[in-house]
Amino acid sequence: MLYYRNKEEMINEIKPDKEKVIKYLKNIKIYEIGNVLVDVEKIVNRRWSCQPQICKDILTPEFHGTCCDGGGIITPYFEKKVHQHIPYIANYLTEKKSEILQQEGVLLRKYHMNEVDGECIFLARDENGYFCSFHRLAEEKNLPIDKIKPFDCCIAPLEIIILDDGKIFLTLVTRETADFSRWGGCMECVENPLPNSPKVYQAMEYYIRIVFGDEFFRKLDEYAQSMVLARNV
């Protein structure tokens, strides 16, 4: 059992807790599309949206303030790619973060991006709130986000696990799944989404299409819409 990543980024050392995953799977509703098992409650029924204006202000023992608290997960493959973007990314960062990045580099330890004051070194802020430097650079350069931003960061708050039988399990990082997720914690924005937030699969459409393809998303959306119609009958 492994955490799903792009082929070039697979890591064998960091694995989900198999027993906890199996136990969770036995107690949920699954919709299967090809070889992908979709957690219906978490992906289809729940709502979520990013809350950059307030996410760092929500700090409790239970919640991470943001998905960027601590350094993000990064593979050796992506670490090499990050270095070529540092001259541009540094423009978004505080002077303190830029200096630490130059002095200490991208990694805090193996597979773990550097941190400053408990948050990812690449987390930045402007008048609209917090933002990912990788994400902002991709938008400004009109480049595919997944080619600049590390995979694990791209899919948050989704969790994607390759099961022992080769099937792929798609879920969401919540209180119920945090103890077998790659991050090990849940977030306030997931547990208490803003009113009128889209469904999780809609909010994460861009990355779901990248990982699983357009046809997968079409079938997932059809299933979600059929559930809405069934409830209205």
Side-chain angles (χ1 to χ4, degrees):
M1 197 173 288
L2 296 169
Y3 291 118
Y4 179 94
R5 293 181 176 88
N6 293 328
K7 185 177 180 180
E8 303 89 348
E9 298 189 73
M10 290 300 294
I11 298 174
N12 293 324
E13 295 98 311
I14 306 174
K15 299 179 180 180
D17 188 311
K18 183 187 299 188
E19 291 184 2
K20 291 180 179 178
V21 175
I22 292 172
K23 181 179 178 181
Y24 179 78
L25 282 166
K26 290 179 179 178
N27 294 287
I28 63 170
K29 182 177 180 179
I30 290 290
Y31 181 64
E32 191 165 354
I33 304 175
N35 71 328
V36 182
L37 307 180
V38 179
D39 185 338
V40 173
E41 177 57 31
K42 300 293 190 289
I43 301 299
V44 177
N45 294 340
R46 289 188 67 146
R47 297 182 180 275
W48 175 78
S49 61
C50 185
Q51 303 174 26
Q53 296 85 0
I54 63 171
C55 67
K56 286 292 289 181
D57 298 325
I58 304 171
L59 296 174
T60 72
E62 184 175 7
F63 295 116
H64 290 271
T66 161
C67 53
C68 302
D69 278 5
I73 301 169
I74 188 167
T75 62
Y77 170 83
F78 229 97
E79 182 192 352
K80 295 176 183 177
K81 298 187 71 172
V82 164
H83 282 283
Q84 63 185 304
H85 301 302
I86 286 178
Y88 306 100
I89 288 173
N91 295 323
Y92 306 125
L93 305 178
T94 61
E95 183 177 346
K96 180 179 180 179
K97 284 189 172 183
S98 294
E99 289 179 357
I100 292 175
L101 189 59
Q102 292 299 323
Q103 294 170 5
E104 301 180 12
V106 173
L107 293 184
L108 178 66
R109 57 181 180 272
K110 190 175 182 181
Y111 305 137
H112 193 101
M113 282 188 281
N114 213 336
E115 302 176 17
V116 177
D117 298 328
E119 66 185 31
C120 179
I121 196 168
F122 297 109
L123 181 67
R125 189 174 190 178
D126 61 15
E127 65 277 8
N128 296 314
Y130 290 88
F131 65 90
C132 170
S133 298
F134 296 120
H135 202 112
R136 180 65 58 86
L137 178 64
E139 291 178 335
E140 293 186 353
K141 297 285 187 179
N142 197 29
L143 297 169
I145 296 171
D146 61 300
K147 302 304 180 185
I148 292 180
K149 188 174 180 178
F151 180 84
D152 295 72
C153 299
C154 283
I155 66 168
L158 299 178
E159 183 56 276
I160 310 174
I161 295 172
I162 303 174
L163 305 176
D164 286 341
D165 62 1
K167 292 185 176 181
I168 298 173
F169 175 44
L170 173 61
T171 187
L172 180 71
V173 182
T174 66
R175 289 189 185 96
E176 296 83 11
T177 63
D179 59 355
F180 62 76
S181 80
R182 67 190 73 196
W183 296 283
C186 58
M187 295 174 286
E188 173 71 10
C189 62
V190 174
E191 297 300 331
N192 296 295
L194 292 173
N196 301 316
S197 292
K199 297 296 181 67
V200 169
Y201 84 93
Q202 295 170 324
M204 295 299 293
E205 176 179 355
Y206 178 83
Y207 295 109
I208 290 175
R209 286 184 183 275
I210 286 174
V211 175
F212 300 109
D214 294 337
E215 181 64 10
F216 173 90
F217 186 85
R218 183 187 67 79
K219 291 180 178 179
L220 180 59
D221 186 52
E222 284 184 351
Y223 173 73
Q225 297 305 322
S226 70
M227 290 184 66
V228 173
L229 291 173
R231 284 195 293 266
N232 292 333
V233 172

